[in-house]
Amino acid sequence: MSFSNSASFLCVLAFSLLAHTVLGADSLVHSCSPENFTANGPYEVNLNKLTGYLNYQAPPKGFGKGSIGQYPDKTYGLALCRGDASISDCKTCVVEASGEIRKLCPYNKAAIIWYDNCLFKYSNDGFFGQIDNSNKFYMWNVNVVSEPVTFNGKTKQLLTQLANKVRATPKLYATGEMKLGESTKLYGLVQCTRDLSSAVCKKCLDGIIGELPTCCDGKEGGRVVSGSCNFRYEIYPFVNA
């Protein structure tokens, strides 16, 4: 699913993760497909039903997916919440995301939106089980570490460990930490959408971890976020207990 009316590869340039904390619940990034549907037509009817279904299905388990209708008006969608989000926070995020993306992409057949706590995505093309690298963005902390070569190595090591760990988790979600010095730790998170198999999830994560030098070279924190998997690392705790 590639949305070509905005760049197929989305980069959030010079974006401070600290600044995002101030922004609160605002969405991080969204993208709309160039192909439109007719207002009040059968595709929109199916999309409305699917949105309501995902708003109900996703919060209890942190993930929901489904499809409604018949070709050529069939629509596919999923909603994913961050693995540490509560049911209440997950519901709030998914409902907000599903409403906001319909405002931002009112007649687009496919769209995706990311928040800190969730992802909401739909399309007229079946995408379940496939890695979505066409929708992707970077975020990083503007602060730079004093020893980037050592720090970059530790960051890749932690994220790779988590990518190996995530294969054995039903939620395809893993967090961890690594000691950097006497008083400093590195914290990491990886997650995949649960339409992927564990093997495909690992492949997706390996791919984005390989983009660390491009994204976040020597930065105190960073993220690579795609339509199928994401990672985040920081030198402060950011995961809910």
Side-chain angles (χ1 to χ4, degrees), residues 114-203:
W114 293 268
Y115 284 70
D116 256 340
N117 270 341
C118 69
L119 153 72
F120 195 91
K121 172 181 174 182
Y122 58 85
S123 177
N124 58 316
D125 293 323
F127 59 85
F128 300 147
Q130 303 171 29
I131 296 175
D132 176 10
N133 277 323
S134 61
N135 297 291
K136 185 186 295 181
F137 65 96
Y138 297 161
M139 294 176 68
W140 58 82
N141 193 308
V142 295
N143 296 321
V144 179
V145 298
S146 58
E147 298 180 18
V149 174
T150 301
F151 184 82
N152 291 345
K154 292 288 188 182
T155 301
K156 184 175 182 180
Q157 182 183 350
L158 175 60
L159 294 175
T160 300
Q161 289 174 356
L162 295 178
N164 290 327
K165 177 181 175 183
V166 81
R167 299 181 63 175
T169 65
K171 293 172 69 172
L172 297 183
Y173 165 82
T175 63
E177 60 187 57
M178 175 181 288
K179 193 171 182 179
L180 295 178
E182 288 299 320
S183 59
T184 308
K185 287 184 178 180
L186 179 66
Y187 302 85
L189 174 156
V190 301
Q191 186 170 20
C192 295
T193 57
R194 282 183 248 166
D195 59 310
L196 302 184
S197 68
S198 60
V200 175
C201 172
K202 176 65 164 51
K203 181 179 179 181

Coordinates of all heavy atoms in Angstrom, one line a residue, residues 114-203:
W114 N -0.4 7.6 12.3 CA 0.3 7.1 13.5 C 0.2 8.1 14.6 O 0.3 9.3 14.4 CB 1.8 7.0 13.2 CG 2.3 5.9 12.2 CD1 2.6 4.6 12.5 CD2 2.5 6.1 10.8 NE1 3.0 4.0 11.4 CE2 3.0 4.9 10.3 CE3 2.3 7.2 9.9 CZ2 3.3 4.7 9.0 CZ3 2.6 7.0 8.6 CH2 3.1 5.7 8.1
Y115 N 0.0 7.6 15.8 CA 0.1 8.4 17.0 C 1.1 7.7 17.9 O 1.6 6.6 17.6 CB -1.3 8.4 17.8 CG -2.3 9.3 17.2 CD1 -3.0 9.0 16.0 CD2 -2.8 10.4 17.9 CE1 -4.0 9.8 15.5 CE2 -3.7 11.2 17.4 CZ -4.3 10.9 16.2 OH -5.3 11.8 15.7
D116 N 1.5 8.3 19.0 CA 2.4 7.7 20.0 C 1.9 6.3 20.4 O 2.6 5.4 20.6 CB 2.6 8.6 21.2 CG 4.0 9.3 21.1 OD1 4.9 8.8 20.4 OD2 4.1 10.3 21.8
N117 N 0.6 6.3 20.7 CA 0.0 5.1 21.3 C -0.7 4.1 20.3 O -1.1 3.0 20.7 CB -1.0 5.4 22.3 CG -0.4 5.6 23.7 OD1 0.7 5.1 24.0 ND2 -1.1 6.3 24.6
C118 N -0.8 4.5 19.0 CA -1.5 3.6 18.1 C -1.3 3.9 16.6 O -0.7 5.0 16.3 CB -3.1 3.6 18.4 SG -3.9 5.2 17.9
L119 N -1.7 3.0 15.8 CA -1.6 3.1 14.4 C -3.0 2.7 13.8 O -3.6 1.7 14.3 CB -0.6 2.2 13.8 CG -0.7 1.6 12.4 CD1 -0.4 2.7 11.4 CD2 0.3 0.4 12.2
F120 N -3.5 3.4 12.8 CA -4.8 3.1 12.2 C -4.5 3.1 10.7 O -4.0 4.1 10.1 CB -5.9 4.0 12.6 CG -7.3 3.5 12.2 CD1 -8.0 2.8 13.1 CD2 -7.8 3.8 11.0 CE1 -9.3 2.3 12.8 CE2 -9.1 3.3 10.7 CZ -9.8 2.6 11.6
K121 N -5.0 2.1 10.0 CA -4.6 1.9 8.5 C -5.7 1.2 7.8 O -6.3 0.2 8.3 CB -3.3 1.1 8.5 CG -2.9 0.6 7.1 CD -1.6 -0.2 7.3 CE -1.1 -0.8 6.0 NZ 0.1 -1.6 6.3
Y122 N -6.0 1.6 6.6 CA -7.0 0.9 5.8 C -6.7 1.1 4.3 O -6.0 2.0 3.9 CB -8.5 1.4 6.1 CG -8.7 2.9 5.8 CD1 -9.0 3.4 4.6 CD2 -8.7 3.7 6.9 CE1 -9.3 4.7 4.4 CE2 -8.9 5.1 6.7 CZ -9.2 5.6 5.5 OH -9.5 6.9 5.3
S123 N -7.2 0.2 3.5 CA -6.9 0.2 2.1 C -7.9 -0.7 1.3 O -8.6 -1.5 1.9 CB -5.5 -0.4 1.8 OG -5.2 -0.5 0.4
N124 N -8.0 -0.4 0.0 CA -8.9 -1.2 -0.9 C -8.1 -2.4 -1.4 O -8.6 -3.3 -2.1 CB -9.4 -0.4 -2.0 CG -8.3 0.2 -2.9 OD1 -7.3 0.8 -2.3 ND2 -8.4 0.2 -4.2
D125 N -6.8 -2.5 -1.1 CA -6.0 -3.6 -1.5 C -5.7 -4.5 -0.2 O -5.3 -3.9 0.8 CB -4.6 -3.2 -2.0 CG -4.8 -2.5 -3.4 OD1 -5.7 -2.9 -4.2 OD2 -4.1 -1.5 -3.6
G126 N -5.7 -5.8 -0.4 CA -5.4 -6.7 0.7 C -3.9 -6.6 1.1 O -3.1 -6.8 0.2
F127 N -3.6 -6.2 2.3 CA -2.2 -6.1 2.7 C -1.8 -6.9 3.9 O -0.7 -6.9 4.3 CB -1.9 -4.6 3.1 CG -2.8 -4.1 4.2 CD1 -2.4 -4.2 5.5 CD2 -4.0 -3.4 3.9 CE1 -3.2 -3.7 6.6 CE2 -4.7 -2.9 4.9 CZ -4.4 -3.0 6.3
F128 N -2.7 -7.7 4.4 CA -2.4 -8.5 5.6 C -1.3 -9.5 5.4 O -1.2 -10.1 4.3 CB -3.6 -9.3 6.1 CG -4.8 -8.4 6.5 CD1 -6.1 -8.9 6.3 CD2 -4.6 -7.2 7.0 CE1 -7.2 -8.1 6.6 CE2 -5.7 -6.4 7.4 CZ -7.0 -6.9 7.2
G129 N -0.4 -9.5 6.3 CA 0.8 -10.5 6.2 C 1.9 -10.0 5.4 O 3.0 -10.6 5.3
Q130 N 1.8 -8.8 4.8 CA 2.9 -8.2 4.0 C 3.6 -7.0 4.7 O 2.9 -6.2 5.4 CB 2.3 -7.7 2.6 CG 1.5 -8.8 1.9 CD 0.8 -8.2 0.7 OE1 1.2 -7.2 0.1 NE2 -0.3 -8.8 0.3
I131 N 4.9 -6.9 4.5 CA 5.6 -5.8 5.1 C 5.3 -4.5 4.3 O 5.5 -4.5 3.1 CB 7.1 -6.1 5.1 CG1 7.5 -7.3 6.0 CG2 7.9 -4.9 5.5 CD1 8.9 -7.7 6.0
D132 N 4.9 -3.5 5.0 CA 4.7 -2.2 4.4 C 5.8 -1.3 4.6 O 5.9 -0.7 5.7 CB 3.4 -1.6 5.0 CG 3.1 -0.2 4.4 OD1 3.8 0.2 3.5 OD2 2.2 0.4 5.0
N133 N 6.7 -1.2 3.7 CA 7.9 -0.3 3.7 C 7.6 1.0 3.0 O 8.5 1.9 3.0 CB 9.1 -0.9 3.2 CG 9.8 -1.8 4.3 OD1 9.8 -1.4 5.5 ND2 10.3 -2.9 3.9
S134 N 6.5 1.1 2.2 CA 6.3 2.3 1.4 C 5.8 3.5 2.3 O 5.9 4.6 1.9 CB 5.2 2.0 0.4 OG 4.0 1.6 1.0
N135 N 5.3 3.1 3.5 CA 4.9 4.2 4.5 C 5.8 4.1 5.6 O 5.8 3.2 6.4 CB 3.4 4.0 4.9 CG 2.5 4.1 3.7 OD1 2.2 5.1 3.2 ND2 1.9 2.9 3.3
K136 N 6.7 5.1 5.8 CA 7.7 5.0 6.8 C 8.2 6.4 7.1 O 8.2 7.3 6.3 CB 8.9 4.2 6.2 CG 10.0 3.9 7.2 CD 11.2 3.2 6.5 CE 10.8 1.8 6.1 NZ 12.0 1.2 5.4
F137 N 8.6 6.6 8.4 CA 9.2 7.9 8.7 C 10.2 7.7 9.9 O 10.2 6.7 10.6 CB 8.1 8.9 9.1 CG 7.3 8.6 10.4 CD1 7.7 9.1 11.6 CD2 6.2 7.8 10.3 CE1 7.0 8.8 12.8 CE2 5.5 7.5 11.5 CZ 5.9 8.0 12.7
Y138 N 11.0 8.7 10.0 CA 12.1 8.8 11.1 C 11.7 9.9 12.1 O 11.2 10.9 11.7 CB 13.4 9.1 10.5 CG 14.0 8.1 9.5 CD1 15.1 8.5 8.7 CD2 13.6 6.8 9.4 CE1 15.7 7.6 7.8 CE2 14.2 5.9 8.5 CZ 15.2 6.3 7.7 OH 15.8 5.5 6.8
M139 N 12.1 9.7 13.3 CA 12.1 10.7 14.3 C 13.4 10.6 15.1 O 13.8 9.5 15.3 CB 10.9 10.6 15.2 CG 9.6 10.9 14.5 SD 8.1 10.7 15.6 CE 8.4 12.1 16.7
W140 N 13.9 11.7 15.6 CA 15.1 11.6 16.4 C 15.2 12.7 17.4 O 14.6 13.8 17.2 CB 16.4 11.5 15.6 CG 16.6 12.7 14.7 CD1 17.2 13.9 15.0 CD2 16.3 12.7 13.3 NE1 17.2 14.7 13.9 CE2 16.7 14.0 12.9 CE3 15.7 11.8 12.4 CZ2 16.5 14.4 11.5 CZ3 15.6 12.2 11.1 CH2 16.0 13.5 10.7
N141 N 15.9 12.5 18.5 CA 16.2 13.5 19.5 C 17.3 14.4 18.9 O 18.3 13.9 18.3 CB 16.7 12.8 20.8 CG 16.7 13.8 22.0 OD1 17.3 14.8 21.9 ND2 16.1 13.4 23.0
V142 N 17.2 15.7 19.1 CA 18.3 16.6 18.5 C 19.6 16.5 19.2 O 20.6 17.0 18.7 CB 17.7 18.0 18.4 CG1 16.6 18.1 17.5 CG2 17.4 18.5 19.8
N143 N 19.6 16.0 20.5 CA 20.8 15.9 21.2 C 21.7 14.8 20.7 O 21.2 13.7 20.4 CB 20.5 15.7 22.7 CG 19.7 16.8 23.3 OD1 20.0 18.0 23.0 ND2 18.7 16.5 24.2
V144 N 23.0 15.0 20.7 CA 24.0 14.1 20.2 C 24.9 13.6 21.4 O 25.2 14.3 22.2 CB 24.9 14.8 19.1 CG1 25.9 13.8 18.6 CG2 24.1 15.3 18.0
V145 N 25.2 12.3 21.4 CA 26.0 11.7 22.4 C 27.4 12.0 22.2 O 27.9 12.4 21.1 CB 25.8 10.1 22.4 CG1 24.3 9.8 22.7 CG2 26.2 9.5 21.1
S146 N 28.2 11.9 23.3 CA 29.6 12.2 23.2 C 30.5 11.2 22.5 O 31.5 11.5 21.9 CB 30.2 12.5 24.6 OG 30.0 11.3 25.4
E147 N 30.1 9.9 22.5 CA 30.8 8.9 21.9 C 29.9 8.1 20.9 O 29.4 7.0 21.2 CB 31.4 7.9 22.9 CG 32.4 8.6 23.9 CD 33.0 7.6 24.9 OE1 32.9 6.4 24.7 OE2 33.5 8.1 25.9
P148 N 29.6 8.7 19.7 CA 28.6 8.1 18.8 C 28.9 6.7 18.4 O 28.0 5.9 18.2 CB 28.6 9.1 17.7 CG 29.9 9.8 17.8 CD 30.2 9.9 19.2
V149 N 30.2 6.3 18.1 CA 30.5 5.0 17.6 C 30.1 3.9 18.6 O 29.4 2.9 18.2 CB 32.0 4.9 17.2 CG1 32.3 3.5 16.8 CG2 32.3 5.9 16.1
T150 N 30.5 4.1 19.8 CA 30.2 3.1 20.9 C 28.7 3.1 21.1 O 28.1 2.0 21.2 CB 30.9 3.5 22.2 OG1 32.3 3.5 22.0 CG2 30.6 2.5 23.3
F151 N 28.1 4.3 21.2 CA 26.6 4.4 21.4 C 25.8 3.7 20.3 O 24.9 3.0 20.5 CB 26.2 5.8 21.6 CG 24.8 6.0 21.9 CD1 24.3 5.9 23.2 CD2 23.8 6.3 21.0 CE1 23.0 6.1 23.6 CE2 22.5 6.5 21.3 CZ 22.1 6.4 22.6
N152 N 26.2 4.0 19.1 CA 25.5 3.4 17.9 C 25.6 1.8 18.0 O 24.6 1.1 17.7 CB 26.1 3.8 16.6 CG 25.8 5.3 16.3 OD1 25.0 5.9 16.9 ND2 26.6 5.9 15.4
G153 N 26.7 1.3 18.4 CA 26.9 -0.1 18.5 C 26.0 -0.7 19.6 O 25.4 -1.8 19.4
K154 N 25.9 0.0 20.7 CA 25.1 -0.5 21.8 C 23.6 -0.4 21.4 O 22.8 -1.3 21.8 CB 25.3 0.4 23.1 CG 26.7 0.2 23.7 CD 26.8 -1.2 24.4 CE 28.1 -1.3 25.1 NZ 28.3 -2.6 25.8
T155 N 23.2 0.6 20.7 CA 21.8 0.8 20.3 C 21.4 -0.4 19.3 O 20.4 -1.0 19.5 CB 21.6 2.1 19.6 OG1 22.0 3.2 20.5 CG2 20.2 2.3 19.1
K156 N 22.3 -0.7 18.4 CA 22.0 -1.8 17.4 C 21.9 -3.1 18.2 O 21.1 -3.9 17.9 CB 23.0 -1.8 16.3 CG 22.7 -2.9 15.3 CD 23.7 -2.8 14.1 CE 23.3 -3.9 13.1 NZ 24.3 -3.8 11.9
Q157 N 22.8 -3.3 19.1 CA 22.9 -4.5 19.9 C 21.6 -4.7 20.7 O 21.0 -5.8 20.7 CB 24.0 -4.5 20.9 CG 24.2 -5.8 21.7 CD 25.4 -5.7 22.7 OE1 26.2 -4.8 22.7 NE2 25.4 -6.7 23.6
L158 N 21.1 -3.7 21.4 CA 19.9 -3.8 22.1 C 18.7 -4.0 21.2 O 17.9 -4.9 21.5 CB 19.6 -2.5 22.9 CG 18.3 -2.4 23.7 CD1 18.2 -3.6 24.7 CD2 18.1 -1.1 24.4
L159 N 18.5 -3.3 20.2 CA 17.4 -3.5 19.3 C 17.4 -4.8 18.6 O 16.3 -5.4 18.4 CB 17.3 -2.3 18.2 CG 17.1 -0.9 18.8 CD1 17.2 0.1 17.7 CD2 15.7 -0.8 19.5
T160 N 18.6 -5.3 18.3 CA 18.7 -6.6 17.7 C 18.2 -7.7 18.7 O 17.5 -8.7 18.3 CB 20.1 -6.9 17.2 OG1 20.4 -5.9 16.2 CG2 20.2 -8.3 16.6
Q161 N 18.6 -7.6 19.9 CA 18.2 -8.5 21.0 C 16.7 -8.5 21.1 O 16.1 -9.6 21.2 CB 18.9 -8.1 22.3 CG 20.4 -8.4 22.4 CD 21.0 -7.9 23.7 OE1 20.3 -7.2 24.5 NE2 22.3 -8.1 23.9
L162 N 16.1 -7.3 21.1 CA 14.7 -7.2 21.2 C 14.0 -7.8 20.0 O 12.9 -8.4 20.1 CB 14.3 -5.8 21.4 CG 14.7 -5.1 22.7 CD1 14.3 -3.6 22.7 CD2 14.2 -5.8 23.9
A163 N 14.5 -7.6 18.8 CA 13.9 -8.2 17.6 C 14.0 -9.7 17.6 O 13.0 -10.4 17.2 CB 14.7 -7.7 16.3
N164 N 15.0 -10.3 18.2 CA 15.1 -11.7 18.4 C 14.1 -12.2 19.4 O 13.5 -13.3 19.3 CB 16.5 -12.2 18.8 CG 17.5 -12.0 17.7 OD1 17.2 -12.2 16.5 ND2 18.7 -11.7 18.0
K165 N 13.9 -11.4 20.5 CA 13.0 -11.7 21.5 C 11.5 -11.6 21.1 O 10.7 -12.5 21.5 CB 13.2 -10.8 22.7 CG 12.3 -10.9 23.9 CD 12.6 -9.9 25.0 CE 11.7 -9.9 26.1 NZ 12.0 -8.8 27.1
V166 N 11.2 -10.7 20.2 CA 9.8 -10.4 19.9 C 9.1 -11.6 19.2 O 7.9 -11.8 19.2 CB 9.7 -9.1 19.0 CG1 10.0 -9.4 17.6 CG2 8.3 -8.5 19.2
R167 N 9.9 -12.4 18.5 CA 9.4 -13.6 17.8 C 8.6 -14.5 18.6 O 7.7 -15.2 18.2 CB 10.5 -14.3 17.0 CG 11.2 -13.5 16.0 CD 12.3 -14.3 15.3 NE 11.7 -15.4 14.5 CZ 12.5 -16.1 13.7 NH1 13.8 -16.0 13.6 NH2 11.9 -17.1 13.0
A168 N 9.0 -14.6 19.9 CA 8.4 -15.5 20.8 C 7.2 -14.9 21.6 O 6.6 -15.6 22.5 CB 9.4 -16.1 21.8
T169 N 6.8 -13.7 21.3 CA 5.8 -13.0 22.1 C 4.5 -12.9 21.2 O 4.5 -12.5 20.1 CB 6.2 -11.6 22.5 OG1 6.4 -10.8 21.3 CG2 7.5 -11.6 23.3
P170 N 3.4 -13.3 21.8 CA 2.1 -13.2 21.0 C 1.8 -11.8 20.5 O 1.1 -11.7 19.5 CB 1.1 -13.7 22.0 CG 1.8 -14.5 23.1 CD 3.2 -13.9 23.1
K171 N 2.2 -10.8 21.3 CA 1.8 -9.4 20.9 C 2.8 -8.9 19.9 O 2.7 -7.7 19.5 CB 1.8 -8.6 22.2 CG 0.7 -8.9 23.1 CD 0.8 -8.1 24.5 CE 0.5 -6.7 24.3 NZ 0.5 -5.9 25.6
L172 N 3.9 -9.6 19.6 CA 4.9 -9.1 18.7 C 5.4 -7.8 19.2 O 5.6 -6.8 18.4 CB 4.4 -9.0 17.2 CG 4.0 -10.4 16.6 CD1 3.6 -10.1 15.1 CD2 5.1 -11.4 16.7
Y173 N 5.7 -7.7 20.5 CA 6.1 -6.5 21.1 C 7.1 -6.8 22.2 O 7.0 -7.8 22.9 CB 4.9 -5.8 21.8 CG 5.1 -4.8 22.8 CD1 5.4 -3.5 22.4 CD2 5.1 -5.1 24.2 CE1 5.6 -2.5 23.4 CE2 5.3 -4.1 25.1 CZ 5.6 -2.8 24.7 OH 5.8 -1.8 25.7
A174 N 8.2 -6.1 22.3 CA 9.2 -6.4 23.3 C 9.9 -5.1 23.7 O 10.1 -4.1 22.9 CB 10.3 -7.4 22.8
T175 N 10.3 -5.0 25.0 CA 11.0 -3.8 25.5 C 12.2 -4.4 26.3 O 12.2 -5.5 26.7 CB 10.2 -3.0 26.4 OG1 9.7 -3.7 27.5 CG2 8.9 -2.5 25.7
G176 N 13.2 -3.5 26.5 CA 14.3 -3.9 27.3 C 15.2 -2.7 27.5 O 15.0 -1.6 27.1
E177 N 16.3 -3.0 28.3 CA 17.2 -1.9 28.6 C 18.7 -2.5 28.7 O 18.9 -3.7 28.8 CB 16.9 -1.3 29.9 CG 16.9 -2.2 31.1 CD 16.4 -1.6 32.4 OE1 15.2 -1.1 32.4 OE2 17.1 -1.6 33.4
M178 N 19.6 -1.6 28.6 CA 21.0 -2.0 28.6 C 21.8 -0.9 29.3 O 21.6 0.3 29.1 CB 21.6 -2.1 27.1 CG 23.0 -2.4 27.0 SD 23.6 -2.5 25.3 CE 22.8 -4.1 24.8
K179 N 22.7 -1.3 30.2 CA 23.5 -0.4 30.9 C 24.6 0.2 30.0 O 25.3 -0.5 29.3 CB 24.1 -1.1 32.1 CG 24.7 -0.1 33.2 CD 25.1 -0.8 34.4 CE 25.7 0.1 35.5 NZ 26.1 -0.6 36.7
L180 N 24.7 1.6 30.1 CA 25.7 2.2 29.3 C 26.9 2.7 30.1 O 28.0 2.9 29.6 CB 25.1 3.4 28.5 CG 24.1 3.1 27.5 CD1 23.5 4.4 26.9 CD2 24.6 2.2 26.4
G181 N 26.7 3.0 31.3 CA 27.7 3.5 32.2 C 27.2 3.4 33.7 O 26.3 2.7 34.0
E182 N 27.9 4.1 34.6 CA 27.6 4.0 36.0 C 26.2 4.4 36.3 O 25.5 3.9 37.1 CB 28.6 4.8 36.8 CG 30.0 4.2 36.9 CD 30.0 2.8 37.5 OE1 29.2 2.6 38.5 OE2 30.7 1.9 37.0
S183 N 25.7 5.5 35.6 CA 24.4 6.0 35.9 C 23.5 6.2 34.7 O 22.5 6.8 34.7 CB 24.6 7.4 36.6 OG 25.3 8.3 35.7
T184 N 23.9 5.6 33.5 CA 23.1 5.8 32.3 C 22.7 4.4 31.7 O 23.4 3.5 31.7 CB 24.0 6.5 31.2 OG1 24.5 7.7 31.8 CG2 23.1 6.8 30.0
K185 N 21.4 4.4 31.3 CA 20.9 3.2 30.6 C 20.3 3.6 29.3 O 19.9 4.7 29.0 CB 19.8 2.6 31.5 CG 20.3 1.9 32.7 CD 19.2 1.2 33.5 CE 19.6 0.4 34.7 NZ 18.5 -0.3 35.4
L186 N 20.3 2.6 28.4 CA 19.6 2.7 27.1 C 18.3 1.9 27.2 O 18.4 0.7 27.6 CB 20.6 2.2 26.0 CG 20.0 2.3 24.6 CD1 19.9 3.7 24.1 CD2 21.0 1.5 23.6
Y187 N 17.2 2.5 26.7 CA 15.9 1.8 26.8 C 15.4 1.6 25.3 O 15.6 2.5 24.5 CB 14.9 2.6 27.6 CG 15.4 2.9 29.0 CD1 16.2 4.0 29.3 CD2 14.9 2.0 30.0 CE1 16.6 4.2 30.6 CE2 15.3 2.3 31.3 CZ 16.1 3.4 31.6 OH 16.5 3.6 32.9
G188 N 14.9 0.5 25.1 CA 14.4 0.2 23.7 C 13.0 -0.5 23.6 O 12.6 -1.1 24.6
L189 N 12.4 -0.3 22.5 CA 11.1 -0.9 22.2 C 11.0 -1.3 20.8 O 11.5 -0.6 19.9 CB 10.0 0.1 22.6 CG 8.5 -0.3 22.2 CD1 7.6 0.5 23.1 CD2 8.1 0.0 20.8
V190 N 10.5 -2.5 20.5 CA 10.2 -2.9 19.1 C 8.8 -3.5 19.1 O 8.3 -4.1 20.0 CB 11.2 -4.0 18.6 CG1 12.6 -3.4 18.6 CG2 11.1 -5.3 19.4
Q191 N 8.1 -3.4 17.9 CA 6.8 -3.9 17.8 C 6.4 -4.1 16.3 O 6.9 -3.3 15.5 CB 5.8 -2.9 18.4 CG 4.3 -3.5 18.5 CD 3.4 -2.6 19.3 OE1 3.7 -1.5 19.6 NE2 2.3 -3.2 19.7
C192 N 5.6 -5.1 16.0 CA 5.1 -5.3 14.7 C 3.5 -5.3 14.7 O 3.0 -5.7 15.8 CB 5.6 -6.7 14.2 SG 7.3 -6.8 13.9
T193 N 2.9 -5.1 13.6 CA 1.5 -5.3 13.5 C 1.2 -6.8 13.5 O 2.0 -7.6 12.9 CB 0.9 -4.7 12.2 OG1 1.6 -5.2 11.1 CG2 1.1 -3.2 12.2
R194 N 0.2 -7.2 14.2 CA 0.0 -8.6 14.4 C -0.7 -9.4 13.2 O -1.1 -10.5 13.4 CB -0.8 -8.8 15.7 CG 0.1 -8.6 16.9 CD -0.7 -8.9 18.2 NE -0.9 -7.7 19.0 CZ -1.8 -7.6 20.0 NH1 -2.6 -8.6 20.3 NH2 -1.9 -6.5 20.6
D195 N -0.8 -8.8 12.1 CA -1.2 -9.5 10.9 C 0.1 -10.2 10.3 O -0.1 -11.1 9.5 CB -1.7 -8.6 9.8 CG -0.8 -7.5 9.4 OD1 -0.2 -6.8 10.3 OD2 -0.6 -7.3 8.2
L196 N 1.3 -9.9 10.8 CA 2.5 -10.5 10.3 C 2.8 -11.8 11.1 O 2.4 -11.9 12.3 CB 3.7 -9.6 10.5 CG 3.7 -8.2 9.8 CD1 5.0 -7.5 10.1 CD2 3.4 -8.3 8.3
S197 N 3.4 -12.8 10.5 CA 3.9 -13.9 11.2 C 5.1 -13.5 12.0 O 5.7 -12.4 11.7 CB 4.3 -15.0 10.2 OG 5.4 -14.6 9.4
S198 N 5.5 -14.3 12.9 CA 6.7 -14.0 13.7 C 8.0 -13.9 12.8 O 8.8 -13.0 13.0 CB 6.9 -15.0 14.8 OG 7.1 -16.3 14.2
A199 N 8.1 -14.7 11.8 CA 9.2 -14.7 10.9 C 9.2 -13.4 10.1 O 10.3 -12.7 9.9 CB 9.3 -15.9 10.0
V200 N 8.1 -13.0 9.6 CA 8.0 -11.8 8.8 C 8.2 -10.5 9.7 O 8.8 -9.6 9.2 CB 6.6 -11.7 8.0 CG1 6.5 -10.4 7.3 CG2 6.5 -12.9 7.1
C201 N 7.7 -10.6 10.9 CA 8.0 -9.5 11.9 C 9.5 -9.3 12.1 O 10.0 -8.2 12.0 CB 7.3 -9.9 13.2 SG 7.7 -8.7 14.6
K202 N 10.2 -10.4 12.3 CA 11.6 -10.3 12.5 C 12.3 -9.7 11.2 O 13.2 -8.9 11.4 CB 12.2 -11.7 12.7 CG 13.7 -11.8 12.9 CD 14.2 -11.1 14.1 CE 15.7 -11.5 14.4 NZ 16.6 -11.5 13.3
K203 N 11.9 -10.1 10.1 CA 12.4 -9.6 8.8 C 12.2 -8.1 8.7 O 13.0 -7.3 8.3 CB 11.8 -10.3 7.6 CG 12.3 -9.8 6.3 CD 11.7 -10.6 5.1 CE 12.2 -10.1 3.8 NZ 11.6 -10.8 2.6

